[in-house]
Amino acid sequence: MAILDRPGYRAGMVLLVAALVLAPVWLGRFIFLLNTIGIFAIGACGLTLLTGLTGQISLGHAAFMALGAYGSAALARAGLPVPLAMVGATALTCAGGMVVGLPSLRIKGLYLAIATLAFQFLTEYALIHATGGVGALSVPPLGVGRWVVRTEVQFYYLLLCVWLLAGAALANLARSRVGLVWMAIRDRDYAAQVLGIPLLHYKALAFGLAAAYAGLAGSLWAHYQRLITTEQFTVGASIDYVAMVVIGGLTSIWGAHLGAAFVVALSQGLKIATPALTAVVPAFAKVVIPLREVLFGTVLIALLIWEPGGLAMLLRKLKRKVDLWPFAY
């Protein structure tokens, strides 16, 4: 069954892609918002694959992103062309993810979440001591040969290609035989093992691919920001990733993109609106720091109560109404 099974949905997808291609025209200097959303959406695709499709909980996704960022920076600073450095860092992060996923055969649920949280803290500790505790590490810009990305718009068009490919790859993986096996493991892992599915193989593969998505996002983030610090990949960032996939829709291939757009837009929107609101209402400055966490918590609780499927489920209900219109049955 096709994902877009009606001409109207295919036309909507074409309009969405056209809007993304023309985004620099109508978004102007705020194009950095889409750059940030795209990078985090690619990383969230990995967590959707791991948690939504396979049922493996991870609280260390930002650590994989850090490995991709610092790995790409180290390879590029060593003289490797930036595209090759990004590929190498993504491959190394994938291998690291498969190693981290090995305990998933023996532990799951809360125990696996704690194990990945320990990996997060270990990675932070190792990076702080490996970099000598310096504040920021400079990273070469993205480029091919003598051509170097110098503007936000140039980076956006490169990122858009990677973003669309990453989203299409996740959609096809979810519909492939491997995706069906992952969903079988998520729903009944013991039954899947009885049917002859090698759990360790498929769980390690899920961890590896999820880490590759995060490593690619980290590599893009490093060459976009040009300065990276360990504070950008803390456990708070891992929690943000969990919030993205839950708000967007844990089991939906659109959930990662919707969740990343919501979380990034909310965070950046607060940063943009805060100076203006503080100028009008000075008391607003006292509540702005915890306001982001309060809003996240409120939205998460509201979604878990009224719509556990997230924003993707709301879109699916809208799609169902359009399918049945003008009849409600």
mmCIF file with all atom_site columns, all heavy atoms in Angstrom, residues 66-78 80-90 92-93 139-140 215 218-220 222-223:
data_model
loop_
_atom_site.group_PDB
_atom_site.id
_atom_site.type_symbol
_atom_site.label_atom_id
_atom_site.label_alt_id
_atom_site.label_comp_id
_atom_site.label_asym_id
_atom_site.label_entity_id
_atom_site.label_seq_id
_atom_site.pdbx_PDB_ins_code
_atom_site.Cartn_x
_atom_site.Cartn_y
_atom_site.Cartn_z
_atom_site.occupancy
_atom_site.B_iso_or_equiv
_atom_site.pdbx_formal_charge
_atom_site.auth_seq_id
_atom_site.auth_comp_id
_atom_site.auth_asym_id
_atom_site.auth_atom_id
_atom_site.pdbx_PDB_model_num
ATOM 1   N N   . ALA A 1 66  ? 26.690 13.659 19.799 1.00 0.00 ? 66  ALA A N   1
ATOM 2   C CA  . ALA A 1 66  ? 28.002 14.216 20.172 1.00 0.00 ? 66  ALA A CA  1
ATOM 3   C C   . ALA A 1 66  ? 29.128 13.441 19.494 1.00 0.00 ? 66  ALA A C   1
ATOM 4   O O   . ALA A 1 66  ? 30.113 14.035 19.022 1.00 0.00 ? 66  ALA A O   1
ATOM 5   C CB  . ALA A 1 66  ? 28.166 14.167 21.692 1.00 0.00 ? 66  ALA A CB  1
ATOM 6   N N   . LEU A 1 67  ? 28.998 12.108 19.425 1.00 0.00 ? 67  LEU A N   1
ATOM 7   C CA  . LEU A 1 67  ? 30.038 11.318 18.761 1.00 0.00 ? 67  LEU A CA  1
ATOM 8   C C   . LEU A 1 67  ? 30.149 11.702 17.291 1.00 0.00 ? 67  LEU A C   1
ATOM 9   O O   . LEU A 1 67  ? 31.262 11.799 16.748 1.00 0.00 ? 67  LEU A O   1
ATOM 10  C CB  . LEU A 1 67  ? 29.702 9.828  18.891 1.00 0.00 ? 67  LEU A CB  1
ATOM 11  C CG  . LEU A 1 67  ? 29.777 9.223  20.301 1.00 0.00 ? 67  LEU A CG  1
ATOM 12  C CD1 . LEU A 1 67  ? 29.429 7.744  20.266 1.00 0.00 ? 67  LEU A CD1 1
ATOM 13  C CD2 . LEU A 1 67  ? 31.174 9.417  20.896 1.00 0.00 ? 67  LEU A CD2 1
ATOM 14  N N   . GLY A 1 68  ? 29.002 11.923 16.631 1.00 0.00 ? 68  GLY A N   1
ATOM 15  C CA  . GLY A 1 68  ? 29.036 12.351 15.240 1.00 0.00 ? 68  GLY A CA  1
ATOM 16  C C   . GLY A 1 68  ? 29.661 13.721 15.073 1.00 0.00 ? 68  GLY A C   1
ATOM 17  O O   . GLY A 1 68  ? 30.455 13.952 14.160 1.00 0.00 ? 68  GLY A O   1
ATOM 18  N N   . ALA A 1 69  ? 29.310 14.644 15.980 1.00 0.00 ? 69  ALA A N   1
ATOM 19  C CA  . ALA A 1 69  ? 29.827 16.014 15.878 1.00 0.00 ? 69  ALA A CA  1
ATOM 20  C C   . ALA A 1 69  ? 31.337 16.056 16.115 1.00 0.00 ? 69  ALA A C   1
ATOM 21  O O   . ALA A 1 69  ? 32.100 16.605 15.302 1.00 0.00 ? 69  ALA A O   1
ATOM 22  C CB  . ALA A 1 69  ? 29.105 16.910 16.887 1.00 0.00 ? 69  ALA A CB  1
ATOM 23  N N   . TYR A 1 70  ? 31.778 15.466 17.224 1.00 0.00 ? 70  TYR A N   1
ATOM 24  C CA  . TYR A 1 70  ? 33.212 15.505 17.537 1.00 0.00 ? 70  TYR A CA  1
ATOM 25  C C   . TYR A 1 70  ? 34.014 14.618 16.590 1.00 0.00 ? 70  TYR A C   1
ATOM 26  O O   . TYR A 1 70  ? 35.165 14.932 16.263 1.00 0.00 ? 70  TYR A O   1
ATOM 27  C CB  . TYR A 1 70  ? 33.443 15.097 18.989 1.00 0.00 ? 70  TYR A CB  1
ATOM 28  C CG  . TYR A 1 70  ? 33.203 16.227 19.957 1.00 0.00 ? 70  TYR A CG  1
ATOM 29  C CD1 . TYR A 1 70  ? 31.964 16.429 20.539 1.00 0.00 ? 70  TYR A CD1 1
ATOM 30  C CD2 . TYR A 1 70  ? 34.234 17.115 20.268 1.00 0.00 ? 70  TYR A CD2 1
ATOM 31  C CE1 . TYR A 1 70  ? 31.731 17.473 21.415 1.00 0.00 ? 70  TYR A CE1 1
ATOM 32  C CE2 . TYR A 1 70  ? 34.023 18.170 21.147 1.00 0.00 ? 70  TYR A CE2 1
ATOM 33  C CZ  . TYR A 1 70  ? 32.773 18.347 21.717 1.00 0.00 ? 70  TYR A CZ  1
ATOM 34  O OH  . TYR A 1 70  ? 32.564 19.397 22.577 1.00 0.00 ? 70  TYR A OH  1
ATOM 35  N N   . GLY A 1 71  ? 33.425 13.500 16.136 1.00 0.00 ? 71  GLY A N   1
ATOM 36  C CA  . GLY A 1 71  ? 34.127 12.642 15.190 1.00 0.00 ? 71  GLY A CA  1
ATOM 37  C C   . GLY A 1 71  ? 34.345 13.343 13.867 1.00 0.00 ? 71  GLY A C   1
ATOM 38  O O   . GLY A 1 71  ? 35.454 13.300 13.305 1.00 0.00 ? 71  GLY A O   1
ATOM 39  N N   . SER A 1 72  ? 33.314 14.002 13.352 1.00 0.00 ? 72  SER A N   1
ATOM 40  C CA  . SER A 1 72  ? 33.442 14.727 12.094 1.00 0.00 ? 72  SER A CA  1
ATOM 41  C C   . SER A 1 72  ? 34.422 15.884 12.230 1.00 0.00 ? 72  SER A C   1
ATOM 42  O O   . SER A 1 72  ? 35.224 16.140 11.325 1.00 0.00 ? 72  SER A O   1
ATOM 43  C CB  . SER A 1 72  ? 32.068 15.232 11.664 1.00 0.00 ? 72  SER A CB  1
ATOM 44  O OG  . SER A 1 72  ? 32.142 15.823 10.391 1.00 0.00 ? 72  SER A OG  1
ATOM 45  N N   . ALA A 1 73  ? 34.356 16.582 13.375 1.00 0.00 ? 73  ALA A N   1
ATOM 46  C CA  . ALA A 1 73  ? 35.282 17.701 13.597 1.00 0.00 ? 73  ALA A CA  1
ATOM 47  C C   . ALA A 1 73  ? 36.733 17.210 13.637 1.00 0.00 ? 73  ALA A C   1
ATOM 48  O O   . ALA A 1 73  ? 37.626 17.814 13.037 1.00 0.00 ? 73  ALA A O   1
ATOM 49  C CB  . ALA A 1 73  ? 34.924 18.408 14.901 1.00 0.00 ? 73  ALA A CB  1
ATOM 50  N N   . ALA A 1 74  ? 36.969 16.100 14.323 1.00 0.00 ? 74  ALA A N   1
ATOM 51  C CA  . ALA A 1 74  ? 38.335 15.580 14.441 1.00 0.00 ? 74  ALA A CA  1
ATOM 52  C C   . ALA A 1 74  ? 38.865 15.125 13.087 1.00 0.00 ? 74  ALA A C   1
ATOM 53  O O   . ALA A 1 74  ? 40.020 15.409 12.723 1.00 0.00 ? 74  ALA A O   1
ATOM 54  C CB  . ALA A 1 74  ? 38.354 14.420 15.449 1.00 0.00 ? 74  ALA A CB  1
ATOM 55  N N   . LEU A 1 75  ? 38.034 14.422 12.309 1.00 0.00 ? 75  LEU A N   1
ATOM 56  C CA  . LEU A 1 75  ? 38.485 13.938 11.001 1.00 0.00 ? 75  LEU A CA  1
ATOM 57  C C   . LEU A 1 75  ? 38.729 15.101 10.042 1.00 0.00 ? 75  LEU A C   1
ATOM 58  O O   . LEU A 1 75  ? 39.695 15.086 9.266  1.00 0.00 ? 75  LEU A O   1
ATOM 59  C CB  . LEU A 1 75  ? 37.433 12.987 10.417 1.00 0.00 ? 75  LEU A CB  1
ATOM 60  C CG  . LEU A 1 75  ? 37.272 11.639 11.144 1.00 0.00 ? 75  LEU A CG  1
ATOM 61  C CD1 . LEU A 1 75  ? 36.109 10.846 10.552 1.00 0.00 ? 75  LEU A CD1 1
ATOM 62  C CD2 . LEU A 1 75  ? 38.557 10.830 11.044 1.00 0.00 ? 75  LEU A CD2 1
ATOM 63  N N   . ALA A 1 76  ? 37.864 16.130 10.088 1.00 0.00 ? 76  ALA A N   1
ATOM 64  C CA  . ALA A 1 76  ? 38.043 17.293 9.208  1.00 0.00 ? 76  ALA A CA  1
ATOM 65  C C   . ALA A 1 76  ? 39.282 18.089 9.604  1.00 0.00 ? 76  ALA A C   1
ATOM 66  O O   . ALA A 1 76  ? 40.030 18.559 8.740  1.00 0.00 ? 76  ALA A O   1
ATOM 67  C CB  . ALA A 1 76  ? 36.792 18.175 9.251  1.00 0.00 ? 76  ALA A CB  1
ATOM 68  N N   . ARG A 1 77  ? 39.498 18.253 10.910 1.00 0.00 ? 77  ARG A N   1
ATOM 69  C CA  . ARG A 1 77  ? 40.690 18.984 11.372 1.00 0.00 ? 77  ARG A CA  1
ATOM 70  C C   . ARG A 1 77  ? 41.966 18.225 11.067 1.00 0.00 ? 77  ARG A C   1
ATOM 71  O O   . ARG A 1 77  ? 43.051 18.803 10.980 1.00 0.00 ? 77  ARG A O   1
ATOM 72  C CB  . ARG A 1 77  ? 40.580 19.255 12.875 1.00 0.00 ? 77  ARG A CB  1
ATOM 73  C CG  . ARG A 1 77  ? 39.558 20.346 13.223 1.00 0.00 ? 77  ARG A CG  1
ATOM 74  C CD  . ARG A 1 77  ? 39.182 20.293 14.696 1.00 0.00 ? 77  ARG A CD  1
ATOM 75  N NE  . ARG A 1 77  ? 40.304 20.552 15.565 1.00 0.00 ? 77  ARG A NE  1
ATOM 76  C CZ  . ARG A 1 77  ? 40.586 21.730 16.112 1.00 0.00 ? 77  ARG A CZ  1
ATOM 77  N NH1 . ARG A 1 77  ? 39.800 22.752 15.861 1.00 0.00 ? 77  ARG A NH1 1
ATOM 78  N NH2 . ARG A 1 77  ? 41.616 21.884 16.907 1.00 0.00 ? 77  ARG A NH2 1
ATOM 79  N N   . ALA A 1 78  ? 41.844 16.886 10.907 1.00 0.00 ? 78  ALA A N   1
ATOM 80  C CA  . ALA A 1 78  ? 43.016 16.075 10.562 1.00 0.00 ? 78  ALA A CA  1
ATOM 81  C C   . ALA A 1 78  ? 43.360 16.155 9.079  1.00 0.00 ? 78  ALA A C   1
ATOM 82  O O   . ALA A 1 78  ? 44.365 15.582 8.650  1.00 0.00 ? 78  ALA A O   1
ATOM 83  C CB  . ALA A 1 78  ? 42.767 14.621 10.954 1.00 0.00 ? 78  ALA A CB  1
ATOM 84  N N   . LEU A 1 80  ? 41.004 15.469 6.427  1.00 0.00 ? 80  LEU A N   1
ATOM 85  C CA  . LEU A 1 80  ? 40.081 14.740 5.561  1.00 0.00 ? 80  LEU A CA  1
ATOM 86  C C   . LEU A 1 80  ? 39.056 15.716 4.984  1.00 0.00 ? 80  LEU A C   1
ATOM 87  O O   . LEU A 1 80  ? 38.595 16.613 5.694  1.00 0.00 ? 80  LEU A O   1
ATOM 88  C CB  . LEU A 1 80  ? 39.387 13.648 6.374  1.00 0.00 ? 80  LEU A CB  1
ATOM 89  C CG  . LEU A 1 80  ? 38.847 12.435 5.608  1.00 0.00 ? 80  LEU A CG  1
ATOM 90  C CD1 . LEU A 1 80  ? 39.992 11.658 4.967  1.00 0.00 ? 80  LEU A CD1 1
ATOM 91  C CD2 . LEU A 1 80  ? 38.051 11.528 6.541  1.00 0.00 ? 80  LEU A CD2 1
ATOM 92  N N   . PRO A 1 81  ? 38.687 15.589 3.692  1.00 0.00 ? 81  PRO A N   1
ATOM 93  C CA  . PRO A 1 81  ? 37.604 16.447 3.158  1.00 0.00 ? 81  PRO A CA  1
ATOM 94  C C   . PRO A 1 81  ? 36.357 16.327 4.013  1.00 0.00 ? 81  PRO A C   1
ATOM 95  O O   . PRO A 1 81  ? 36.019 15.235 4.502  1.00 0.00 ? 81  PRO A O   1
ATOM 96  C CB  . PRO A 1 81  ? 37.404 15.885 1.753  1.00 0.00 ? 81  PRO A CB  1
ATOM 97  C CG  . PRO A 1 81  ? 38.691 15.240 1.395  1.00 0.00 ? 81  PRO A CG  1
ATOM 98  C CD  . PRO A 1 81  ? 39.259 14.699 2.673  1.00 0.00 ? 81  PRO A CD  1
ATOM 99  N N   . VAL A 1 82  ? 35.647 17.458 4.164  1.00 0.00 ? 82  VAL A N   1
ATOM 100 C CA  . VAL A 1 82  ? 34.498 17.491 5.079  1.00 0.00 ? 82  VAL A CA  1
ATOM 101 C C   . VAL A 1 82  ? 33.439 16.432 4.746  1.00 0.00 ? 82  VAL A C   1
ATOM 102 O O   . VAL A 1 82  ? 32.946 15.747 5.652  1.00 0.00 ? 82  VAL A O   1
ATOM 103 C CB  . VAL A 1 82  ? 33.881 18.897 5.106  1.00 0.00 ? 82  VAL A CB  1
ATOM 104 C CG1 . VAL A 1 82  ? 32.568 18.897 5.880  1.00 0.00 ? 82  VAL A CG1 1
ATOM 105 C CG2 . VAL A 1 82  ? 34.861 19.877 5.750  1.00 0.00 ? 82  VAL A CG2 1
ATOM 106 N N   . PRO A 1 83  ? 33.051 16.238 3.456  1.00 0.00 ? 83  PRO A N   1
ATOM 107 C CA  . PRO A 1 83  ? 32.044 15.196 3.182  1.00 0.00 ? 83  PRO A CA  1
ATOM 108 C C   . PRO A 1 83  ? 32.508 13.810 3.636  1.00 0.00 ? 83  PRO A C   1
ATOM 109 O O   . PRO A 1 83  ? 31.714 13.041 4.193  1.00 0.00 ? 83  PRO A O   1
ATOM 110 C CB  . PRO A 1 83  ? 31.876 15.265 1.663  1.00 0.00 ? 83  PRO A CB  1
ATOM 111 C CG  . PRO A 1 83  ? 32.253 16.659 1.305  1.00 0.00 ? 83  PRO A CG  1
ATOM 112 C CD  . PRO A 1 83  ? 33.350 17.019 2.246  1.00 0.00 ? 83  PRO A CD  1
ATOM 113 N N   . LEU A 1 84  ? 33.798 13.489 3.402  1.00 0.00 ? 84  LEU A N   1
ATOM 114 C CA  . LEU A 1 84  ? 34.308 12.195 3.838  1.00 0.00 ? 84  LEU A CA  1
ATOM 115 C C   . LEU A 1 84  ? 34.366 12.119 5.371  1.00 0.00 ? 84  LEU A C   1
ATOM 116 O O   . LEU A 1 84  ? 34.131 11.057 5.959  1.00 0.00 ? 84  LEU A O   1
ATOM 117 C CB  . LEU A 1 84  ? 35.701 11.943 3.249  1.00 0.00 ? 84  LEU A CB  1
ATOM 118 C CG  . LEU A 1 84  ? 35.748 11.726 1.738  1.00 0.00 ? 84  LEU A CG  1
ATOM 119 C CD1 . LEU A 1 84  ? 37.188 11.471 1.291  1.00 0.00 ? 84  LEU A CD1 1
ATOM 120 C CD2 . LEU A 1 84  ? 34.862 10.553 1.345  1.00 0.00 ? 84  LEU A CD2 1
ATOM 121 N N   . ALA A 1 85  ? 34.688 13.235 6.006  1.00 0.00 ? 85  ALA A N   1
ATOM 122 C CA  . ALA A 1 85  ? 34.702 13.266 7.470  1.00 0.00 ? 85  ALA A CA  1
ATOM 123 C C   . ALA A 1 85  ? 33.310 12.994 8.028  1.00 0.00 ? 85  ALA A C   1
ATOM 124 O O   . ALA A 1 85  ? 33.149 12.280 9.026  1.00 0.00 ? 85  ALA A O   1
ATOM 125 C CB  . ALA A 1 85  ? 35.220 14.620 7.957  1.00 0.00 ? 85  ALA A CB  1
ATOM 126 N N   . MET A 1 86  ? 32.295 13.547 7.371  1.00 0.00 ? 86  MET A N   1
ATOM 127 C CA  . MET A 1 86  ? 30.915 13.320 7.839  1.00 0.00 ? 86  MET A CA  1
ATOM 128 C C   . MET A 1 86  ? 30.518 11.856 7.653  1.00 0.00 ? 86  MET A C   1
ATOM 129 O O   . MET A 1 86  ? 29.899 11.253 8.539  1.00 0.00 ? 86  MET A O   1
ATOM 130 C CB  . MET A 1 86  ? 29.951 14.231 7.083  1.00 0.00 ? 86  MET A CB  1
ATOM 131 C CG  . MET A 1 86  ? 30.160 15.714 7.356  1.00 0.00 ? 86  MET A CG  1
ATOM 132 S SD  . MET A 1 86  ? 29.105 16.783 6.355  1.00 0.00 ? 86  MET A SD  1
ATOM 133 C CE  . MET A 1 86  ? 27.501 16.323 6.984  1.00 0.00 ? 86  MET A CE  1
ATOM 134 N N   . VAL A 1 87  ? 30.891 11.283 6.508  1.00 0.00 ? 87  VAL A N   1
ATOM 135 C CA  . VAL A 1 87  ? 30.569 9.867  6.277  1.00 0.00 ? 87  VAL A CA  1
ATOM 136 C C   . VAL A 1 87  ? 31.302 8.986  7.290  1.00 0.00 ? 87  VAL A C   1
ATOM 137 O O   . VAL A 1 87  ? 30.726 8.053  7.860  1.00 0.00 ? 87  VAL A O   1
ATOM 138 C CB  . VAL A 1 87  ? 30.944 9.475  4.831  1.00 0.00 ? 87  VAL A CB  1
ATOM 139 C CG1 . VAL A 1 87  ? 30.792 7.970  4.630  1.00 0.00 ? 87  VAL A CG1 1
ATOM 140 C CG2 . VAL A 1 87  ? 30.078 10.224 3.841  1.00 0.00 ? 87  VAL A CG2 1
ATOM 141 N N   . GLY A 1 88  ? 32.590 9.300  7.509  1.00 0.00 ? 88  GLY A N   1
ATOM 142 C CA  . GLY A 1 88  ? 33.362 8.515  8.466  1.00 0.00 ? 88  GLY A CA  1
ATOM 143 C C   . GLY A 1 88  ? 32.817 8.606  9.873  1.00 0.00 ? 88  GLY A C   1
ATOM 144 O O   . GLY A 1 88  ? 32.705 7.594  10.587 1.00 0.00 ? 88  GLY A O   1
ATOM 145 N N   . ALA A 1 89  ? 32.426 9.825  10.294 1.00 0.00 ? 89  ALA A N   1
ATOM 146 C CA  . ALA A 1 89  ? 31.873 9.996  11.644 1.00 0.00 ? 89  ALA A CA  1
ATOM 147 C C   . ALA A 1 89  ? 30.540 9.274  11.787 1.00 0.00 ? 89  ALA A C   1
ATOM 148 O O   . ALA A 1 89  ? 30.253 8.669  12.825 1.00 0.00 ? 89  ALA A O   1
ATOM 149 C CB  . ALA A 1 89  ? 31.700 11.487 11.939 1.00 0.00 ? 89  ALA A CB  1
ATOM 150 N N   . THR A 1 90  ? 29.722 9.313  10.724 1.00 0.00 ? 90  THR A N   1
ATOM 151 C CA  . THR A 1 90  ? 28.430 8.610  10.775 1.00 0.00 ? 90  THR A CA  1
ATOM 152 C C   . THR A 1 90  ? 28.639 7.107  10.880 1.00 0.00 ? 90  THR A C   1
ATOM 153 O O   . THR A 1 90  ? 27.943 6.419  11.649 1.00 0.00 ? 90  THR A O   1
ATOM 154 C CB  . THR A 1 90  ? 27.609 8.944  9.518  1.00 0.00 ? 90  THR A CB  1
ATOM 155 O OG1 . THR A 1 90  ? 27.439 10.360 9.433  1.00 0.00 ? 90  THR A OG1 1
ATOM 156 C CG2 . THR A 1 90  ? 26.245 8.285  9.567  1.00 0.00 ? 90  THR A CG2 1
ATOM 157 N N   . LEU A 1 92  ? 31.317 5.550  12.109 1.00 0.00 ? 92  LEU A N   1
ATOM 158 C CA  . LEU A 1 92  ? 31.847 5.242  13.444 1.00 0.00 ? 92  LEU A CA  1
ATOM 159 C C   . LEU A 1 92  ? 30.740 5.281  14.498 1.00 0.00 ? 92  LEU A C   1
ATOM 160 O O   . LEU A 1 92  ? 30.692 4.439  15.407 1.00 0.00 ? 92  LEU A O   1
ATOM 161 C CB  . LEU A 1 92  ? 32.959 6.235  13.798 1.00 0.00 ? 92  LEU A CB  1
ATOM 162 C CG  . LEU A 1 92  ? 34.270 6.079  13.014 1.00 0.00 ? 92  LEU A CG  1
ATOM 163 C CD1 . LEU A 1 92  ? 35.232 7.212  13.350 1.00 0.00 ? 92  LEU A CD1 1
ATOM 164 C CD2 . LEU A 1 92  ? 34.925 4.723  13.335 1.00 0.00 ? 92  LEU A CD2 1
ATOM 165 N N   . THR A 1 93  ? 29.851 6.261  14.383 1.00 0.00 ? 93  THR A N   1
ATOM 166 C CA  . THR A 1 93  ? 28.736 6.349  15.331 1.00 0.00 ? 93  THR A CA  1
ATOM 167 C C   . THR A 1 93  ? 27.802 5.154  15.188 1.00 0.00 ? 93  THR A C   1
ATOM 168 O O   . THR A 1 93  ? 27.295 4.622  16.189 1.00 0.00 ? 93  THR A O   1
ATOM 169 C CB  . THR A 1 93  ? 27.954 7.650  15.114 1.00 0.00 ? 93  THR A CB  1
ATOM 170 O OG1 . THR A 1 93  ? 28.855 8.745  15.069 1.00 0.00 ? 93  THR A OG1 1
ATOM 171 C CG2 . THR A 1 93  ? 26.961 7.867  16.232 1.00 0.00 ? 93  THR A CG2 1
ATOM 172 N N   . VAL A 1 139 ? 35.244 24.132 14.073 1.00 0.00 ? 139 VAL A N   1
ATOM 173 C CA  . VAL A 1 139 ? 35.005 23.089 13.077 1.00 0.00 ? 139 VAL A CA  1
ATOM 174 C C   . VAL A 1 139 ? 35.057 23.728 11.701 1.00 0.00 ? 139 VAL A C   1
ATOM 175 O O   . VAL A 1 139 ? 34.480 24.815 11.497 1.00 0.00 ? 139 VAL A O   1
ATOM 176 C CB  . VAL A 1 139 ? 33.624 22.435 13.306 1.00 0.00 ? 139 VAL A CB  1
ATOM 177 C CG1 . VAL A 1 139 ? 33.408 21.300 12.321 1.00 0.00 ? 139 VAL A CG1 1
ATOM 178 C CG2 . VAL A 1 139 ? 33.494 21.939 14.734 1.00 0.00 ? 139 VAL A CG2 1
ATOM 179 N N   . PRO A 1 140 ? 35.724 23.088 10.727 1.00 0.00 ? 140 PRO A N   1
ATOM 180 C CA  . PRO A 1 140 ? 35.747 23.659 9.363  1.00 0.00 ? 140 PRO A CA  1
ATOM 181 C C   . PRO A 1 140 ? 34.346 23.714 8.771  1.00 0.00 ? 140 PRO A C   1
ATOM 182 O O   . PRO A 1 140 ? 33.478 22.902 9.102  1.00 0.00 ? 140 PRO A O   1
ATOM 183 C CB  . PRO A 1 140 ? 36.635 22.671 8.587  1.00 0.00 ? 140 PRO A CB  1
ATOM 184 C CG  . PRO A 1 140 ? 37.386 21.917 9.628  1.00 0.00 ? 140 PRO A CG  1
ATOM 185 C CD  . PRO A 1 140 ? 36.514 21.868 10.840 1.00 0.00 ? 140 PRO A CD  1
ATOM 186 N N   . GLY A 1 215 ? 24.342 10.442 14.556 1.00 0.00 ? 215 GLY A N   1
ATOM 187 C CA  . GLY A 1 215 ? 25.696 10.851 14.187 1.00 0.00 ? 215 GLY A CA  1
ATOM 188 C C   . GLY A 1 215 ? 25.697 11.793 12.994 1.00 0.00 ? 215 GLY A C   1
ATOM 189 O O   . GLY A 1 215 ? 26.450 12.779 12.953 1.00 0.00 ? 215 GLY A O   1
ATOM 190 N N   . GLY A 1 218 ? 24.543 15.103 14.255 1.00 0.00 ? 218 GLY A N   1
ATOM 191 C CA  . GLY A 1 218 ? 25.625 15.757 14.993 1.00 0.00 ? 218 GLY A CA  1
ATOM 192 C C   . GLY A 1 218 ? 26.686 16.319 14.070 1.00 0.00 ? 218 GLY A C   1
ATOM 193 O O   . GLY A 1 218 ? 27.204 17.430 14.287 1.00 0.00 ? 218 GLY A O   1
ATOM 194 N N   . SER A 1 219 ? 27.007 15.572 13.014 1.00 0.00 ? 219 SER A N   1
ATOM 195 C CA  . SER A 1 219 ? 28.005 16.053 12.053 1.00 0.00 ? 219 SER A CA  1
ATOM 196 C C   . SER A 1 219 ? 27.505 17.312 11.339 1.00 0.00 ? 219 SER A C   1
ATOM 197 O O   . SER A 1 219 ? 28.260 18.285 11.170 1.00 0.00 ? 219 SER A O   1
ATOM 198 C CB  . SER A 1 219 ? 28.286 14.927 11.050 1.00 0.00 ? 219 SER A CB  1
ATOM 199 O OG  . SER A 1 219 ? 29.236 15.338 10.115 1.00 0.00 ? 219 SER A OG  1
ATOM 200 N N   . LEU A 1 220 ? 26.234 17.288 10.920 1.00 0.00 ? 220 LEU A N   1
ATOM 201 C CA  . LEU A 1 220 ? 25.664 18.484 10.283 1.00 0.00 ? 220 LEU A CA  1
ATOM 202 C C   . LEU A 1 220 ? 25.648 19.662 11.247 1.00 0.00 ? 220 LEU A C   1
ATOM 203 O O   . LEU A 1 220 ? 25.946 20.805 10.878 1.00 0.00 ? 220 LEU A O   1
ATOM 204 C CB  . LEU A 1 220 ? 24.237 18.181 9.808  1.00 0.00 ? 220 LEU A CB  1
ATOM 205 C CG  . LEU A 1 220 ? 24.111 17.276 8.589  1.00 0.00 ? 220 LEU A CG  1
ATOM 206 C CD1 . LEU A 1 220 ? 22.672 16.785 8.440  1.00 0.00 ? 220 LEU A CD1 1
ATOM 207 C CD2 . LEU A 1 220 ? 24.547 18.010 7.322  1.00 0.00 ? 220 LEU A CD2 1
ATOM 208 N N   . ALA A 1 222 ? 27.668 20.238 13.756 1.00 0.00 ? 222 ALA A N   1
ATOM 209 C CA  . ALA A 1 222 ? 29.027 20.740 13.980 1.00 0.00 ? 222 ALA A CA  1
ATOM 210 C C   . ALA A 1 222 ? 29.461 21.660 12.845 1.00 0.00 ? 222 ALA A C   1
ATOM 211 O O   . ALA A 1 222 ? 30.007 22.746 13.082 1.00 0.00 ? 222 ALA A O   1
ATOM 212 C CB  . ALA A 1 222 ? 29.990 19.567 14.109 1.00 0.00 ? 222 ALA A CB  1
ATOM 213 N N   . HIS A 1 223 ? 29.212 21.251 11.592 1.00 0.00 ? 223 HIS A N   1
ATOM 214 C CA  . HIS A 1 223 ? 29.655 22.065 10.455 1.00 0.00 ? 223 HIS A CA  1
ATOM 215 C C   . HIS A 1 223 ? 28.726 23.250 10.207 1.00 0.00 ? 223 HIS A C   1
ATOM 216 O O   . HIS A 1 223 ? 29.093 24.170 9.468  1.00 0.00 ? 223 HIS A O   1
ATOM 217 C CB  . HIS A 1 223 ? 29.748 21.194 9.203  1.00 0.00 ? 223 HIS A CB  1
ATOM 218 C CG  . HIS A 1 223 ? 30.821 20.150 9.303  1.00 0.00 ? 223 HIS A CG  1
ATOM 219 N ND1 . HIS A 1 223 ? 32.173 20.447 9.246  1.00 0.00 ? 223 HIS A ND1 1
ATOM 220 C CD2 . HIS A 1 223 ? 30.738 18.807 9.507  1.00 0.00 ? 223 HIS A CD2 1
ATOM 221 C CE1 . HIS A 1 223 ? 32.879 19.325 9.385  1.00 0.00 ? 223 HIS A CE1 1
ATOM 222 N NE2 . HIS A 1 223 ? 32.032 18.322 9.549  1.00 0.00 ? 223 HIS A NE2 1
#
